[in-house]
Amino acid sequence: MPKEPGPASGEQARQLALTRLRQAILHGEMAPAQRLVENELAEQFGVTRASVRAALIELESEGLVERIRNRGSRVRVVSVDEAVAITECRMALEGLCAAKAAVTAGDGQLDRLTEVGEAMTKAVADGEPMLYSDLNHELHALIREFSGQQTAVSLLERLNGQLVRHRFQLALRPGRPQQSLSEHLAMIDAIRARDPQAAEAAVRSHLASVIEALRG
Amino acid sequence: MPKEPGPASGEQARQLALTRLRQAILHGEMAPAQRLVENELAEQFGVTRASVRAALIELESEGLVERIRNRGSRVRVVSVDEAVAITECRMALEGLCAAKAAVTAGDGQLDRLTEVGEAMTKAVADGEPMLYSDLNHELHALIREFSGQQTAVSLLERLNGQLVRHRFQLALRPGRPQQSLSEHLAMIDAIRARDPQAAEAAVRSHLASVIEALRG
DNA sequence: GCCAACAGGATTGTCAACGATTCTGTTTGC
DNA sequence: GCAAACAGAATCGTTGACAATCCTGTTGGC
């Protein structure tokens, strides 16, 4: 395995290790439950063990890795039950964000939502589930962003990080994008109508449907 | 300053530093925005700097301390606006917990809630705001616990950690306990009635009142 | 043949020291 | 008198090595 080139100038070792590791986990390059040996990672990223260690501690409190005393670190696997519980929290928090976004979003931001909605419609029509999944992610991110609720946003990003694997699994299920599409469009419409209650309700009902799909 | 005695046997250095520091911040022993110098803390807790450092990294991602590159760590101060945003998230998440608790709590657990409610009533009658504040905290903790929603609980504990200072400030405001008491009793009644919607609504309206008080 | 005790290897936890960066108070030039 | 440059101190970031702990495969006894 080739040794990593020098970090993007100025980036500190710990930061680099953190970014790389998080990316690797989120992109699924690390198998679930894979052992994460500090020494190996250190060599792979071209940093020292202490930096890797610091990154692992941070990722542990983000819920992405699991650390056991004197036993090492592993990529955390979330069970279906956990995924459901996490999505229930998302229901509560994204509902809040959608309601806020319906009130505070600017007109340009609303147009942005419309664009994404159209792209999603096209992705479903063309039968591109992975593209749809990406747009799905983007839509939720935009709603979070437009809400201006920094606290809720950081909580939600933490939660979403734990769901990567389940998200892919869900997107590839046949028929799922079609059902999900109409729910997403309803969310967009409610926000564009600047109706906070309808927006919250639309988000909650969408995520309730996600929960059902997870369980199914 | 006396040097700390040895840790409770078996507790590792990093864990010890983490626990101690968190306790100190939560109990208000560290002034807000106080500088947290790694060397001083290391000597004070009788551990090495590396352990303190690891603890600080963890506390940073819990939102209790703020770290700036090459500038050191500080106790994070949350502005009123942030406190409001945090409480809005609590509204969403504790609402979820209350609804779940109303369905899943056992009878013994419901009795426990009743007890706390009575103790709160007594504390207000006796004019003991600090005792009331503690019971307040306990009540919310019980509802979280009874919900069985582990994910939501850990998010909420993180959020609550950031509000310590504001909580004390609020509890000592004249007239506040009286208003808060009836809201708390309404929450308890709704859960005891096993009515999830009413429980969620009661929690939300209580926290909305907290937000108003924070802003006032 | 099976279970317990035991050595070997691997991995993490901890430590003390070095180097890099940033702030603070002072001095110098205008 | 004031702004900019400078030296000094303080503090964090990083490194490499050592000690403690735990798993694994093996051996010996029953």
Side-chain angles (χ1 to χ4, degrees):
Chain A
M1 190 168 297
K3 193 164 176 186
E4 292 290 334
S9 67
E11 198 165 18
Q12 296 305 318
R14 169 176 147 268
Q15 197 73 23
L16 174 77
L18 181 66
T19 310
R20 281 290 181 82
L21 237 176
R22 190 190 281 127
Q23 283 273 324
I25 295 177
L26 260 50
H27 282 45
E29 294 166 26
M30 305 286 194
Q34 175 172 341
R35 289 194 64 186
L36 299 174
V37 178
E38 297 180 357
N39 257 328
E40 291 177 8
L41 296 174
E43 189 168 354
Q44 187 174 341
F45 296 152
V47 299
T48 54
R49 233 192 76 201
S51 304
V52 172
R53 197 181 169 68
L56 284 172
I57 290 176
E58 195 155 347
L59 287 175
E60 178 188 24
S61 71
E62 282 185 30
L64 270 84
V65 312
E66 192 178 23
R67 281 161 47 84
I68 312 172
R69 256 187 56 105
N70 292 320
R71 290 279 307 269
S73 311
R74 280 209 262 273
V75 180
R76 203 175 88 100
V77 289
V78 300
S79 67
V80 171
D81 284 345
E82 274 177 299
V84 169
I86 290 173
T87 308
E88 285 176 338
C89 290
R90 282 183 60 199
M91 248 170 84
L93 290 171
E94 291 203 26
L96 171 68
C97 285
K100 288 273 173 184
V103 176
T104 67
D107 289 338
Q109 292 178 325
L110 293 185
D111 292 341
R112 187 81 188 284
L113 291 181
T114 310
E115 285 170 29
V116 175
E118 287 166 358
M120 290 177 96
T121 306
K122 184 167 184 306
V124 169
D126 294 353
E128 301 203 43
M130 290 314 280
L131 174 59
Y132 180 78
S133 176
D134 287 344
L135 289 167
N136 177 356
H137 196 53
E138 187 182 345
L139 173 62
H140 284 268
L142 283 178
I143 294 176
R144 289 198 297 266
E145 182 192 333
F146 296 165
S147 75
Q149 288 283 53
Q150 207 181 335
T151 305
V153 168
S154 69
L155 291 180
L156 280 168
E157 277 171 359
R158 184 182 307 256
L159 289 177
N160 274 318
Q162 302 177 23
L163 289 180
V164 257
R165 203 153 296 275
H166 289 280
R167 194 169 62 225
F168 288 132
Q169 211 167 331
L170 212 60
L172 295 174
R173 189 170 303 186
R176 175 73 199 148
Q178 284 77 5
Q179 183 187 350
S180 150
L181 176 61
S182 66
E183 297 165 3
H184 280 133
L185 294 179
M187 286 162 45
I188 295 175
D189 285 344
I191 294 177
R192 288 189 53 197
R194 298 203 174 283
D195 182 342
Q197 291 191 346
E200 179 169 352
V203 167
R204 291 179 84 103
S205 108
H206 166 52
L207 288 175
S209 143
V210 170
I211 289 177
E212 261 187 58
L214 279 173
R215 282 213 175 101
Chain B
M1 192 168 297
K3 193 164 177 186
E4 294 289 335
S9 67
E11 195 165 21
Q12 295 305 317
R14 171 176 146 267
Q15 197 73 23
L16 174 77
L18 182 66
T19 310
R20 280 292 179 82
L21 237 176
R22 190 190 281 126
Q23 283 273 325
I25 294 177
L26 260 52
H27 282 44
E29 293 167 25
M30 305 287 193
Q34 175 172 340
R35 292 196 62 187
L36 299 173
V37 179
E38 297 180 356
N39 256 327
E40 291 176 10
L41 296 175
E43 188 168 356
Q44 186 174 342
F45 295 152
V47 301
T48 55
R49 236 191 76 200
S51 305
V52 171
R53 195 179 170 70
L56 284 172
I57 290 175
E58 194 155 348
L59 288 176
E60 179 189 24
S61 69
E62 282 185 30
L64 273 97
V65 311
E66 190 178 22
R67 280 161 48 84
I68 312 174
R69 255 186 58 99
N70 291 319
R71 291 275 310 268
S73 312
R74 283 213 262 267
V75 179
R76 203 175 89 101
V77 288
V78 300
S79 66
V80 171
D81 283 344
E82 275 177 299
V84 169
I86 290 173
T87 308
E88 284 175 338
C89 290
R90 283 183 57 199
M91 251 171 81
L93 291 170
E94 290 202 27
L96 171 69
C97 285
K100 288 274 174 182
V103 177
T104 66
D107 290 338
Q109 293 177 324
L110 293 185
D111 293 342
R112 187 83 188 283
L113 291 181
T114 310
E115 284 172 26
V116 174
E118 287 166 359
M120 289 178 98
T121 306
K122 186 168 184 307
V124 168
D126 295 352
E128 300 203 41
M130 290 314 280
L131 174 59
Y132 180 77
S133 176
D134 287 345
L135 289 167
N136 177 356
H137 196 54
E138 187 181 347
L139 173 61
H140 284 267
L142 284 177
I143 293 176
R144 289 199 298 266
E145 182 191 333
F146 296 165
S147 76
Q149 289 282 55
Q150 204 179 338
T151 305
V153 168
S154 69
L155 291 180
L156 280 168
E157 278 170 359
R158 184 182 308 255
L159 289 177
N160 274 319
Q162 302 177 24
L163 291 180
V164 258
R165 203 151 296 274
H166 289 279
R167 192 169 65 224
F168 288 133
Q169 211 168 331
L170 214 60
L172 295 174
R173 191 170 301 186
R176 176 72 200 149
Q178 284 78 4
Q179 182 186 349
S180 149
L181 176 60
S182 65
E183 297 165 2
H184 280 134
L185 294 179
M187 286 162 45
I188 295 175
D189 285 344
I191 294 176
R192 289 189 51 197
R194 297 203 176 283
D195 181 341
Q197 292 192 345
E200 179 169 352
V203 166
R204 291 178 83 103
S205 106
H206 166 53
L207 288 175
S209 142
V210 169
I211 288 177
E212 261 188 58
L214 278 173
R215 283 214 174 99

